[in-house]
Coordinates of all heavy atoms in Angstrom, one line a residue:
M339 N -67.5 47.1 -68.6 CA -67.4 48.4 -68.2 C -67.4 48.4 -66.7 O -68.1 47.7 -66.0 CB -68.7 49.2 -68.6 CG -68.4 50.2 -69.7 SD -69.7 51.4 -69.9 CE -70.6 50.6 -71.2
S340 N -66.6 49.3 -66.1 CA -66.4 49.5 -64.7 C -67.5 50.4 -64.2 O -68.3 51.0 -64.9 CB -65.1 50.0 -64.3 OG -64.9 51.3 -64.8
G341 N -67.6 50.5 -62.9 CA -68.6 51.3 -62.2 C -68.6 52.8 -62.6 O -69.6 53.4 -63.0
P342 N -67.4 53.4 -62.5 CA -67.3 54.8 -62.9 C -67.7 55.1 -64.4 O -68.3 56.1 -64.7 CB -65.9 55.2 -62.6 CG -65.4 54.3 -61.6 CD -66.1 53.0 -61.9
E343 N -67.3 54.2 -65.3 CA -67.6 54.4 -66.7 C -69.1 54.3 -66.9 O -69.7 55.0 -67.7 CB -66.9 53.3 -67.5 CG -65.4 53.5 -67.6 CD -64.7 52.4 -68.4 OE1 -65.4 51.5 -68.9 OE2 -63.5 52.5 -68.6
T344 N -69.8 53.4 -66.2 CA -71.2 53.3 -66.3 C -71.9 54.5 -65.8 O -72.9 55.0 -66.4 CB -71.7 52.0 -65.5 OG1 -71.0 50.9 -65.9 CG2 -73.2 51.8 -65.6
V345 N -71.5 55.1 -64.7 CA -72.0 56.3 -64.1 C -71.8 57.4 -65.1 O -72.7 58.2 -65.3 CB -71.4 56.6 -62.7 CG1 -71.8 58.0 -62.3 CG2 -71.8 55.6 -61.7
D346 N -70.6 57.5 -65.7 CA -70.4 58.5 -66.7 C -71.3 58.4 -67.9 O -71.9 59.4 -68.3 CB -68.9 58.4 -67.2 CG -67.9 58.9 -66.3 OD1 -68.3 59.6 -65.3 OD2 -66.7 58.7 -66.5
R347 N -71.5 57.2 -68.4 CA -72.5 57.0 -69.5 C -73.9 57.5 -69.2 O -74.6 58.1 -69.9 CB -72.4 55.6 -70.0 CG -71.1 55.1 -70.5 CD -71.0 55.5 -71.9 NE -69.6 55.1 -72.4 CZ -69.2 55.2 -73.6 NH1 -70.0 55.6 -74.5 NH2 -68.0 54.8 -73.9
V348 N -74.3 57.1 -68.0 CA -75.7 57.4 -67.5 C -75.8 58.9 -67.4 O -76.8 59.5 -67.9 CB -76.0 56.7 -66.2 CG1 -77.3 57.2 -65.6 CG2 -76.1 55.2 -66.5
L349 N -74.9 59.6 -66.8 CA -75.0 61.0 -66.6 C -74.9 61.8 -67.9 O -75.6 62.7 -68.2 CB -73.8 61.5 -65.7 CG -74.0 61.1 -64.2 CD1 -72.8 61.6 -63.4 CD2 -75.3 61.7 -63.6
I350 N -74.1 61.3 -68.9 CA -74.0 62.0 -70.2 C -75.3 61.8 -70.9 O -75.8 62.7 -71.6 CB -72.7 61.5 -70.9 CG1 -71.5 62.0 -70.2 CG2 -72.8 62.0 -72.4 CD1 -70.2 61.5 -70.8
T351 N -75.8 60.6 -70.9 CA -77.1 60.3 -71.5 C -78.2 61.1 -71.0 O -79.0 61.7 -71.7 CB -77.4 58.8 -71.4 OG1 -76.4 58.0 -72.0 CG2 -78.7 58.5 -72.2
A352 N -78.2 61.3 -69.7 CA -79.2 62.2 -69.0 C -79.1 63.6 -69.5 O -80.1 64.3 -69.7 CB -79.2 62.0 -67.5
A353 N -77.8 64.1 -69.6 CA -77.6 65.4 -70.0 C -78.0 65.6 -71.4 O -78.7 66.7 -71.8 CB -76.1 65.7 -69.9
V354 N -77.8 64.7 -72.3 CA -78.3 64.8 -73.7 C -79.8 64.8 -73.8 O -80.4 65.6 -74.5 CB -77.7 63.6 -74.6 CG1 -78.3 63.6 -75.9 CG2 -76.2 63.8 -74.7
V355 N -80.5 64.0 -73.0 CA -81.9 64.0 -73.0 C -82.4 65.3 -72.5 O -83.4 65.9 -73.1 CB -82.5 62.8 -72.1 CG1 -83.9 63.0 -71.8 CG2 -82.1 61.5 -72.7
I356 N -81.9 65.9 -71.5 CA -82.3 67.2 -71.0 C -82.1 68.3 -72.0 O -82.9 69.2 -72.2 CB -81.6 67.6 -69.7 CG1 -82.1 66.6 -68.5 CG2 -81.7 69.0 -69.3 CD1 -81.3 66.7 -67.3
I357 N -80.9 68.2 -72.7 CA -80.6 69.2 -73.8 C -81.7 69.1 -74.9 O -82.1 70.1 -75.5 CB -79.2 69.0 -74.3 CG1 -78.2 69.5 -73.2 CG2 -79.0 69.8 -75.6 CD1 -76.8 69.1 -73.5
V358 N -82.0 67.9 -75.3 CA -83.0 67.7 -76.4 C -84.4 68.2 -75.9 O -85.1 68.9 -76.7 CB -83.1 66.2 -76.8 CG1 -84.3 65.9 -77.7 CG2 -81.8 65.7 -77.5
V359 N -84.8 67.9 -74.7 CA -86.1 68.4 -74.2 C -86.1 69.9 -74.2 O -87.0 70.6 -74.6 CB -86.4 67.8 -72.8 CG1 -87.6 68.5 -72.2 CG2 -86.7 66.3 -72.9
A360 N -85.0 70.5 -73.7 CA -84.9 72.0 -73.7 C -84.9 72.5 -75.1 O -85.5 73.6 -75.3 CB -83.6 72.4 -73.0
G361 N -84.3 71.8 -76.1 CA -84.4 72.3 -77.5 C -85.8 72.3 -78.0 O -86.2 73.2 -78.7
V362 N -86.5 71.3 -77.7 CA -87.9 71.2 -78.2 C -88.7 72.4 -77.5 O -89.5 73.1 -78.2 CB -88.6 69.9 -77.8 CG1 -90.1 69.9 -78.0 CG2 -87.9 68.8 -78.6
L363 N -88.6 72.6 -76.3 CA -89.3 73.7 -75.6 C -88.8 75.1 -76.1 O -89.6 76.0 -76.2 CB -89.1 73.6 -74.1 CG -89.7 72.4 -73.4 CD1 -89.3 72.4 -71.9 CD2 -91.2 72.5 -73.5
L364 N -87.6 75.1 -76.5 CA -87.0 76.4 -77.1 C -87.7 76.7 -78.4 O -88.0 77.8 -78.7 CB -85.5 76.2 -77.2 CG -84.8 77.4 -77.9 CD1 -84.8 78.5 -76.9 CD2 -83.4 77.0 -78.2
F365 N -87.8 75.7 -79.3 CA -88.4 75.9 -80.6 C -89.9 76.3 -80.4 O -90.4 77.1 -81.2 CB -88.2 74.7 -81.5 CG -86.9 74.7 -82.1 CD1 -86.0 73.6 -81.8 CD2 -86.4 75.7 -82.8 CE1 -84.8 73.5 -82.3 CE2 -85.1 75.7 -83.3 CZ -84.3 74.6 -83.1
V366 N -90.6 75.8 -79.4 CA -91.9 76.2 -79.1 C -91.9 77.7 -78.7 O -92.8 78.5 -79.2 CB -92.6 75.4 -78.0 CG1 -93.9 75.9 -77.5 CG2 -92.7 73.9 -78.4
R367 N -91.0 78.1 -77.9 CA -90.9 79.5 -77.5 C -90.6 80.4 -78.7 O -91.1 81.5 -78.9 CB -89.8 79.7 -76.4 CG -89.5 81.2 -76.1 CD -90.7 82.0 -75.7 NE -91.5 81.5 -74.6 CZ -92.8 81.8 -74.4 NH1 -93.4 82.7 -75.1 NH2 -93.4 81.3 -73.4
I368 N -89.7 80.0 -79.6 CA -89.4 80.8 -80.8 C -90.6 80.9 -81.7 O -90.9 82.0 -82.2 CB -88.2 80.1 -81.6 CG1 -86.9 80.3 -80.8 CG2 -88.1 80.8 -83.0 CD1 -85.8 79.5 -81.4
S369 N -91.4 79.9 -81.9 CA -92.5 79.9 -82.7 C -93.7 80.7 -82.1 O -94.5 81.3 -82.8 CB -93.0 78.5 -83.2 OG -93.4 77.8 -82.1
R370 N -93.9 80.6 -80.8 CA -95.1 81.2 -80.2 C -94.8 82.4 -79.4 O -95.7 82.9 -78.7 CB -95.7 80.1 -79.2 CG -96.3 78.9 -80.0 CD -96.9 78.0 -79.1 NE -98.1 78.7 -78.4 CZ -98.6 78.3 -77.3 NH1 -98.1 77.2 -76.7 NH2 -99.6 78.9 -76.8
G371 N -93.5 82.9 -79.4 CA -93.1 84.0 -78.6 C -94.0 85.2 -78.8 O -94.2 85.6 -80.0
P372 N -94.6 85.8 -77.8 CA -95.5 86.9 -78.0 C -94.8 88.2 -78.5 O -95.4 89.0 -79.1 CB -96.2 87.1 -76.7 CG -95.3 86.5 -75.7 CD -94.5 85.4 -76.4
S373 N -93.5 88.3 -78.2 CA -92.8 89.5 -78.6 C -91.5 89.2 -79.3 O -91.0 88.1 -79.2 CB -92.6 90.4 -77.4 OG -91.6 89.9 -76.6
M374 N -90.9 90.2 -79.9 CA -89.6 90.0 -80.5 C -88.6 89.8 -79.5 O -87.6 89.0 -79.8 CB -89.3 91.3 -81.4 CG -88.2 91.1 -82.3 SD -88.7 89.9 -83.5 CE -87.2 89.9 -84.5
L375 N -88.7 90.3 -78.3 CA -87.7 90.1 -77.3 C -87.7 88.7 -76.8 O -86.6 88.1 -76.6 CB -87.9 91.1 -76.1 CG -86.9 91.1 -75.0 CD1 -85.5 91.4 -75.6 CD2 -87.3 92.0 -73.9
D376 N -88.8 88.1 -76.7 CA -88.9 86.6 -76.4 C -88.2 85.8 -77.4 O -87.5 84.8 -77.1 CB -90.3 86.2 -76.2 CG -91.0 86.7 -75.0 OD1 -90.3 86.9 -74.0 OD2 -92.2 86.9 -75.1
R377 N -88.4 86.1 -78.7 CA -87.7 85.3 -79.7 C -86.2 85.5 -79.7 O -85.4 84.6 -79.9 CB -88.3 85.7 -81.1 CG -89.7 85.2 -81.2 CD -90.3 85.5 -82.6 NE -91.6 84.9 -82.8 CZ -92.7 85.5 -82.7 NH1 -92.7 86.8 -82.3 NH2 -93.9 84.9 -82.8
A378 N -85.8 86.8 -79.4 CA -84.4 87.0 -79.4 C -83.7 86.3 -78.2 O -82.6 85.7 -78.4 CB -84.1 88.6 -79.2
I379 N -84.3 86.3 -77.1 CA -83.8 85.5 -75.9 C -83.8 84.0 -76.2 O -82.8 83.3 -75.9 CB -84.6 85.8 -74.7 CG1 -84.4 87.3 -74.2 CG2 -84.3 84.9 -73.5 CD1 -85.3 87.8 -73.1
A380 N -84.8 83.5 -76.9 CA -84.8 82.1 -77.3 C -83.7 81.8 -78.2 O -83.1 80.7 -78.1 CB -86.2 81.8 -77.9
L381 N -83.4 82.7 -79.1 CA -82.3 82.4 -80.0 C -80.9 82.4 -79.3 O -80.0 81.6 -79.6 CB -82.2 83.4 -81.2 CG -83.3 83.2 -82.2 CD1 -83.3 84.3 -83.2 CD2 -83.2 81.8 -82.9
D382 N -80.8 83.3 -78.3 CA -79.6 83.3 -77.5 C -79.5 82.0 -76.7 O -78.4 81.4 -76.6 CB -79.6 84.5 -76.5 CG -78.3 84.6 -75.7 OD1 -77.3 84.4 -76.3 OD2 -78.4 84.9 -74.5
V383 N -80.6 81.5 -76.2 CA -80.6 80.2 -75.4 C -80.3 79.0 -76.4 O -79.6 78.1 -76.0 CB -81.9 80.0 -74.7 CG1 -82.0 78.6 -74.1 CG2 -82.1 81.0 -73.7
C384 N -80.7 79.2 -77.7 CA -80.4 78.2 -78.7 C -78.9 78.1 -78.8 O -78.3 76.9 -79.0 CB -81.0 78.6 -80.0 SG -80.8 77.4 -81.3
A385 N -78.2 79.2 -78.9 CA -76.7 79.1 -78.9 C -76.1 78.4 -77.7 O -75.2 77.6 -77.8 CB -76.1 80.5 -79.1
A386 N -76.7 78.7 -76.6 CA -76.2 78.0 -75.3 C -76.5 76.5 -75.4 O -75.6 75.7 -74.9 CB -76.9 78.6 -74.1
L387 N -77.6 76.1 -75.9 CA -77.9 74.7 -76.1 C -77.0 74.0 -77.1 O -76.6 72.8 -76.8 CB -79.4 74.5 -76.5 CG -80.4 74.6 -75.4 CD1 -81.8 74.4 -76.0 CD2 -80.1 73.5 -74.3
I388 N -76.6 74.7 -78.1 CA -75.7 74.1 -79.1 C -74.3 73.9 -78.4 O -73.7 72.9 -78.6 CB -75.6 75.0 -80.3 CG1 -76.9 74.9 -81.1 CG2 -74.4 74.5 -81.2 CD1 -76.9 75.9 -82.2
I389 N -73.9 74.9 -77.6 CA -72.6 74.8 -76.9 C -72.7 73.6 -75.9 O -71.8 72.8 -75.8 CB -72.3 76.1 -76.2 CG1 -72.0 77.2 -77.2 CG2 -71.1 75.9 -75.2 CD1 -72.0 78.6 -76.7
A390 N -73.8 73.5 -75.2 CA -74.0 72.4 -74.2 C -74.0 71.0 -74.9 O -73.4 70.1 -74.4 CB -75.3 72.6 -73.4
G391 N -74.6 71.0 -76.1 CA -74.6 69.7 -76.9 C -73.2 69.3 -77.3 O -72.8 68.2 -77.3
L392 N -72.5 70.3 -77.8 CA -71.1 70.0 -78.2 C -70.2 69.6 -77.0 O -69.4 68.8 -77.1 CB -70.5 71.3 -78.9 CG -71.0 71.6 -80.3 CD1 -70.4 72.9 -80.7 CD2 -70.6 70.5 -81.2
G393 N -70.5 70.2 -75.8 CA -69.8 69.8 -74.6 C -70.1 68.4 -74.2 O -69.2 67.6 -73.8
A394 N -71.4 68.0 -74.3 CA -71.8 66.6 -74.0 C -71.1 65.7 -75.0 O -70.7 64.6 -74.6 CB -73.3 66.5 -74.0
K395 N -71.1 66.0 -76.3 CA -70.4 65.2 -77.3 C -69.0 65.0 -77.0 O -68.4 63.9 -77.1 CB -70.7 65.7 -78.7 CG -70.0 64.9 -79.8 CD -70.4 65.4 -81.1 CE -69.7 64.7 -82.3 NZ -69.2 63.4 -82.1
S396 N -68.3 66.1 -76.6 CA -66.9 66.1 -76.3 C -66.7 65.2 -75.1 O -65.7 64.4 -75.0 CB -66.4 67.5 -76.0 OG -66.4 68.2 -77.2
A397 N -67.5 65.3 -74.1 CA -67.4 64.5 -72.9 C -67.6 63.0 -73.2 O -66.9 62.1 -72.7 CB -68.4 64.9 -71.8
F398 N -68.6 62.7 -74.0 CA -68.9 61.3 -74.4 C -67.8 60.7 -75.2 O -67.4 59.6 -74.9 CB -70.2 61.3 -75.2 CG -70.7 59.9 -75.5 CD1 -71.3 59.2 -74.5 CD2 -70.6 59.3 -76.8 CE1 -71.8 57.9 -74.7 CE2 -71.0 58.1 -77.0 CZ -71.6 57.4 -76.0
A399 N -67.2 61.5 -76.1 CA -66.1 60.9 -76.9 C -64.7 61.1 -76.3 O -63.7 60.6 -76.8 CB -66.1 61.6 -78.3
R400 N -64.7 61.8 -75.2 CA -63.4 62.2 -74.5 C -62.4 62.8 -75.5 O -61.3 62.4 -75.6 CB -62.8 60.9 -73.8 CG -63.7 60.4 -72.7 CD -63.1 59.2 -72.0 NE -64.0 58.6 -71.1 CZ -64.1 58.9 -69.8 NH1 -63.3 59.9 -69.3 NH2 -64.9 58.3 -69.0
D401 N -62.9 63.8 -76.2 CA -62.2 64.5 -77.2 C -62.3 66.0 -77.0 O -63.4 66.5 -76.8 CB -62.7 64.1 -78.6 CG -61.8 64.6 -79.7 OD1 -60.7 65.0 -79.5 OD2 -62.3 64.7 -80.9
S402 N -61.3 66.7 -77.1 CA -61.3 68.2 -76.9 C -61.4 69.0 -78.3 O -61.1 70.2 -78.3 CB -60.1 68.6 -76.1 OG -58.9 68.4 -76.8
F403 N -61.7 68.3 -79.3 CA -61.7 68.9 -80.6 C -62.7 70.1 -80.7 O -62.5 71.1 -81.4 CB -62.1 67.9 -81.7 CG -62.2 68.5 -83.1 CD1 -61.1 68.9 -83.8 CD2 -63.5 68.6 -83.6 CE1 -61.3 69.4 -85.1 CE2 -63.7 69.2 -84.9 CZ -62.5 69.6 -85.6
Y404 N -63.9 70.0 -80.0 CA -64.9 71.0 -80.2 C -64.8 72.2 -79.2 O -65.6 73.1 -79.3 CB -66.3 70.3 -79.9 CG -66.7 69.3 -81.0 CD1 -66.6 68.0 -80.8 CD2 -67.1 69.8 -82.2 CE1 -66.9 67.1 -81.8 CE2 -67.4 68.9 -83.2 CZ -67.3 67.5 -83.0 OH -67.6 66.7 -84.0
F405 N -63.8 72.2 -78.4 CA -63.7 73.3 -77.4 C -63.5 74.7 -78.1 O -64.1 75.7 -77.8 CB -62.6 73.1 -76.4 CG -62.9 72.0 -75.4 CD1 -61.9 71.4 -74.7 CD2 -64.2 71.6 -75.2 CE1 -62.2 70.4 -73.7 CE2 -64.6 70.7 -74.3 CZ -63.6 70.1 -73.5
P406 N -62.6 74.8 -79.2 CA -62.5 76.1 -79.8 C -63.8 76.5 -80.5 O -64.2 77.7 -80.5 CB -61.4 75.9 -80.9 CG -60.6 74.7 -80.4 CD -61.6 73.9 -79.6
I407 N -64.5 75.5 -81.1 CA -65.8 75.8 -81.7 C -66.8 76.3 -80.7 O -67.5 77.3 -80.9 CB -66.3 74.6 -82.4 CG1 -65.4 74.2 -83.5 CG2 -67.7 74.8 -83.0 CD1 -65.6 72.8 -84.1
M408 N -66.8 75.7 -79.5 CA -67.7 76.2 -78.4 C -67.3 77.6 -78.0 O -68.2 78.4 -77.7 CB -67.6 75.2 -77.2 CG -68.1 73.9 -77.5 SD -67.7 72.6 -76.3 CE -68.1 73.3 -74.8
L409 N -66.1 77.9 -77.9 CA -65.6 79.3 -77.6 C -66.1 80.3 -78.6 O -66.6 81.4 -78.2 CB -64.1 79.3 -77.4 CG -63.5 80.6 -76.9 CD1 -63.9 80.9 -75.5 CD2 -62.0 80.5 -77.0
V410 N -66.0 80.0 -79.9 CA -66.4 80.9 -80.9 C -67.9 81.1 -80.9 O -68.4 82.2 -81.0 CB -65.9 80.5 -82.3 CG1 -66.6 81.2 -83.4 CG2 -64.4 80.6 -82.4
L411 N -68.7 80.0 -80.7 CA -70.1 80.1 -80.6 C -70.5 80.9 -79.4 O -71.5 81.7 -79.4 CB -70.7 78.7 -80.5 CG -70.8 78.0 -81.8 CD1 -71.3 76.5 -81.5 CD2 -71.8 78.7 -82.8
A412 N -69.8 80.8 -78.3 CA -70.2 81.6 -77.1 C -69.9 83.1 -77.4 O -70.8 83.9 -77.0 CB -69.3 81.2 -75.9
F413 N -68.9 83.4 -78.0 CA -68.6 84.8 -78.4 C -69.6 85.4 -79.3 O -70.1 86.5 -79.1 CB -67.2 84.9 -79.0 CG -66.8 86.3 -79.4 CD1 -66.6 87.3 -78.4 CD2 -66.8 86.7 -80.7 CE1 -66.3 88.6 -78.8 CE2 -66.5 88.0 -81.1 CZ -66.2 88.9 -80.2
L414 N -70.0 84.6 -80.3 CA -71.0 85.1 -81.3 C -72.4 85.2 -80.7 O -73.1 86.1 -81.0 CB -71.0 84.1 -82.5 CG -69.8 84.1 -83.4 CD1 -70.0 83.0 -84.5 CD2 -69.7 85.5 -84.1
G415 N -72.7 84.3 -79.8 CA -74.0 84.4 -79.1 C -74.0 85.6 -78.2 O -75.1 86.3 -78.2
F416 N -72.9 85.9 -77.5 CA -72.9 87.1 -76.7 C -73.0 88.4 -77.5 O -73.9 89.2 -77.2 CB -71.6 87.1 -75.8 CG -71.4 88.4 -75.1 CD1 -72.2 88.7 -74.0 CD2 -70.5 89.3 -75.5 CE1 -72.0 89.9 -73.3 CE2 -70.3 90.5 -74.9 CZ -71.1 90.8 -73.8
T417 N -72.2 88.5 -78.5 CA -72.3 89.7 -79.3 C -73.6 89.9 -80.1 O -74.2 91.0 -80.2 CB -71.1 89.8 -80.3 OG1 -71.2 88.6 -81.1 CG2 -69.8 89.9 -79.6
G418 N -74.2 88.7 -80.5 CA -75.5 88.8 -81.1 C -76.6 89.3 -80.1 O -77.5 90.0 -80.5
S419 N -76.5 88.8 -78.9 CA -77.5 89.2 -77.9 C -77.4 90.7 -77.6 O -78.4 91.3 -77.4 CB -77.3 88.4 -76.6 OG -77.5 87.0 -76.8
V420 N -76.2 91.1 -77.5 CA -76.0 92.6 -77.2 C -76.5 93.4 -78.3 O -77.2 94.4 -78.1 CB -74.5 92.9 -76.9 CG1 -74.2 94.4 -76.9 CG2 -74.0 92.2 -75.6
G421 N -76.2 93.0 -79.5 CA -76.7 93.7 -80.7 C -78.2 93.8 -80.8 O -78.9 94.8 -81.0
I422 N -78.9 92.6 -80.5 CA -80.3 92.6 -80.6 C -80.9 93.4 -79.4 O -81.9 94.1 -79.6 CB -80.8 91.1 -80.5 CG1 -80.5 90.4 -81.8 CG2 -82.3 91.0 -80.2 CD1 -80.7 88.9 -81.8
A423 N -80.3 93.3 -78.3 CA -80.8 94.1 -77.1 C -80.7 95.6 -77.4 O -81.7 96.4 -77.0 CB -80.0 93.8 -75.8
R424 N -79.6 96.0 -78.0 CA -79.5 97.5 -78.3 C -80.6 97.9 -79.3 O -81.1 99.0 -79.3 CB -78.1 97.8 -78.8 CG -77.1 97.7 -77.7 CD -75.8 98.3 -78.1 NE -76.1 99.8 -78.4 CZ -75.1 100.6 -78.6 NH1 -73.9 100.2 -78.6 NH2 -75.4 101.9 -78.9
F425 N -80.8 97.1 -80.3 CA -81.8 97.4 -81.4 C -83.2 97.5 -80.8 O -83.9 98.4 -81.0 CB -81.7 96.3 -82.5 CG -82.9 96.4 -83.4 CD1 -82.9 97.4 -84.4 CD2 -83.9 95.5 -83.4 CE1 -83.9 97.6 -85.3 CE2 -84.9 95.6 -84.3 CZ -84.9 96.7 -85.3
I426 N -83.5 96.5 -79.9 CA -84.8 96.5 -79.3 C -85.0 97.7 -78.3 O -86.0 98.3 -78.2 CB -85.1 95.2 -78.6 CG1 -85.3 94.1 -79.7 CG2 -86.4 95.2 -77.7 CD1 -85.4 92.7 -79.2
A427 N -83.9 98.0 -77.6 CA -83.9 99.1 -76.6 C -84.2 100.5 -77.4 O -84.9 101.3 -76.9 CB -82.6 99.2 -75.8
V428 N -83.6 100.6 -78.5 CA -83.8 101.9 -79.3 C -85.2 101.9 -79.9 O -85.8 102.9 -79.9 CB -82.7 102.0 -80.4 CG1 -83.0 103.1 -81.3 CG2 -81.3 102.3 -79.7
R429 N -85.6 100.8 -80.4 CA -86.9 100.7 -81.0 C -88.1 100.9 -80.0 O -89.1 101.5 -80.3 CB -87.1 99.3 -81.7 CG -88.3 99.3 -82.5 CD -88.6 97.9 -83.0 NE -89.0 97.1 -81.8 CZ -89.3 95.8 -81.9 NH1 -89.2 95.2 -83.0 NH2 -89.6 95.2 -80.8
D430 N -87.9 100.4 -78.8 CA -89.0 100.4 -77.8 C -88.8 101.6 -76.8 O -89.5 101.6 -75.8 CB -89.0 99.1 -77.0 CG -89.4 97.9 -77.9 OD1 -90.0 98.2 -78.9 OD2 -89.2 96.8 -77.5
R431 N -88.0 102.5 -77.1 CA -87.8 103.7 -76.2 C -89.1 104.5 -76.3 O -89.7 104.7 -77.3 CB -86.6 104.6 -76.7 CG -86.3 105.7 -75.8 CD -85.1 106.5 -76.3 NE -84.0 105.7 -76.7 CZ -83.0 106.1 -77.4 NH1 -83.0 107.4 -77.8 NH2 -82.0 105.3 -77.7
P432 N -89.5 105.1 -75.1 CA -90.7 105.9 -75.1 C -90.6 107.1 -76.0 O -89.5 107.6 -76.2 CB -90.8 106.3 -73.6 CG -90.0 105.4 -72.9 CD -88.9 104.9 -73.8
L433 N -91.7 107.6 -76.5 CA -91.7 108.7 -77.5 C -91.2 110.0 -76.9 O -90.6 110.8 -77.5 CB -93.1 108.9 -78.1 CG -93.6 107.8 -79.0 CD1 -95.0 108.1 -79.4 CD2 -92.7 107.7 -80.2
S434 N -91.4 110.2 -75.6 CA -91.0 111.4 -74.9 C -89.5 111.5 -74.8 O -88.9 112.6 -74.8 CB -91.6 111.6 -73.5 OG -91.1 110.5 -72.7
R435 N -88.8 110.4 -74.9 CA -87.3 110.5 -74.7 C -86.6 110.4 -76.1 O -85.4 110.6 -76.2 CB -86.8 109.3 -73.9 CG -87.3 109.4 -72.5 CD -86.8 108.3 -71.6 NE -85.3 108.4 -71.6 CZ -84.6 107.4 -71.1 NH1 -85.1 106.3 -70.7 NH2 -83.3 107.6 -71.1
R436 N -87.3 110.2 -77.2 CA -86.7 110.1 -78.5 C -86.4 111.5 -79.0 O -87.2 112.5 -78.8 CB -87.6 109.4 -79.5 CG -87.7 108.0 -79.3 CD -88.5 107.4 -80.4 NE -88.7 105.9 -80.2 CZ -89.4 105.2 -80.9 NH1 -90.1 105.6 -81.9 NH2 -89.6 103.9 -80.6
K437 N -85.3 111.7 -79.7 CA -85.0 113.0 -80.3 C -85.7 113.1 -81.7 O -85.7 112.1 -82.4 CB -83.5 113.2 -80.4 CG -82.8 113.3 -79.1 CD -81.3 113.4 -79.3 CE -80.6 113.5 -78.0 NZ -79.1 113.6 -78.2
P438 N -86.2 114.2 -82.0 CA -86.7 114.3 -83.4 C -85.6 114.1 -84.4 O -84.4 114.3 -84.2 CB -87.2 115.8 -83.5 CG -87.4 116.2 -82.0 CD -86.4 115.4 -81.2
A439 N -86.0 113.6 -85.6 CA -85.0 113.2 -86.6 C -84.1 114.4 -87.0 O -83.0 114.2 -87.3 CB -85.8 112.6 -87.8
G440 N -84.7 115.6 -87.1 CA -83.9 116.7 -87.6 C -83.0 117.3 -86.5 O -82.1 118.1 -86.8
E441 N -83.2 117.0 -85.2 CA -82.5 117.6 -84.1 C -81.0 117.2 -84.2 O -80.1 118.0 -83.9 CB -83.1 117.3 -82.8 CG -82.5 118.0 -81.6 CD -83.2 117.7 -80.3 OE1 -84.4 117.7 -80.3 OE2 -82.5 117.5 -79.3
E442 N -80.7 116.0 -84.5 CA -79.3 115.5 -84.5 C -78.6 116.2 -85.7 O -77.4 116.5 -85.6 CB -79.3 114.0 -84.6 CG -79.7 113.3 -83.4 CD -79.7 111.8 -83.5 OE1 -79.2 111.3 -84.6 OE2 -80.2 111.1 -82.6
A443 N -79.3 116.5 -86.8 CA -78.6 117.0 -87.9 C -78.3 118.5 -87.7 O -77.4 119.0 -88.3 CB -79.5 116.9 -89.2
R444 N -79.0 119.2 -86.8 CA -78.8 120.6 -86.6 C -77.5 120.9 -85.8 O -77.0 122.0 -85.8 CB -80.0 121.2 -85.9 CG -81.2 121.4 -86.8 CD -82.3 122.1 -86.0 NE -83.4 121.3 -86.1 CZ -84.5 121.3 -85.3 NH1 -84.5 122.1 -84.3 NH2 -85.5 120.6 -85.5
K445 N -77.1 119.9 -85.0 CA -75.9 120.2 -84.1 C -74.6 120.2 -84.8 O -74.2 119.9 -85.8 CB -75.9 119.1 -83.0 CG -77.0 119.3 -82.0 CD -76.9 118.3 -80.9 CE -77.9 118.6 -79.9 NZ -77.9 117.6 -78.8

């Protein structure tokens, strides 16, 4: 192996180790998260870690097969995060700003 190939292998291995450590810490946050919002953010970060792992695998194998999969996962992670944020925003709205259930039906 030449010098640049060795550096590539070391950097990719370091990236994979960092991704694995982040994954372990992420699962701790999912299991111990004090609120639903913490768990939702952790699941969004989980999608990002999966994308990073696929990117590291693609770089290690020098293969671009996983790029479309990474793109779809990024889109699903984004839309899922927006959906969860909207659900939590409506659920956690202060009582003074909520409309009574019958008020929308009267209009």
Side-chain angles (χ1 to χ4, degrees):
M339 252 196 264
S340 67
E343 289 177 358
T344 304
V345 171
D346 285 347
R347 297 277 176 172
V348 169
L349 290 177
I350 291 172
T351 304
V354 169
V355 168
I356 290 171
I357 290 170
V358 168
V359 169
V362 169
L363 294 173
L364 177 71
F365 284 119
V366 169
R367 173 52 58 198
I368 289 173
S369 64
R370 297 182 60 200
S373 71
M374 192 66 179
L375 186 59
D376 288 330
R377 289 184 175 98
I379 291 171
L381 287 173
D382 185 42
V383 173
C384 183
L387 278 179
I388 292 170
I389 293 168
L392 286 174
K395 180 176 177 17
S396 293
F398 187 74
R400 296 183 188 267
D401 185 19
S402 62
F403 175 76
Y404 292 105
F405 288 162
I407 297 169
M408 292 165 53
L409 184 65
V410 169
L411 282 174
F413 178 71
L414 290 175
F416 171 74
T417 55
S419 297
V420 170
I422 290 171
R424 288 194 61 172
F425 172 73
I426 291 174
V428 168
R429 188 189 70 178
D430 292 342
R431 188 181 307 166
L433 291 175
S434 63
R435 294 184 63 193
R436 288 186 185 172
K437 294 181 181 178
E441 186 176 318
E442 291 179 6
R444 285 185 236 159
K445 289 183 178 181

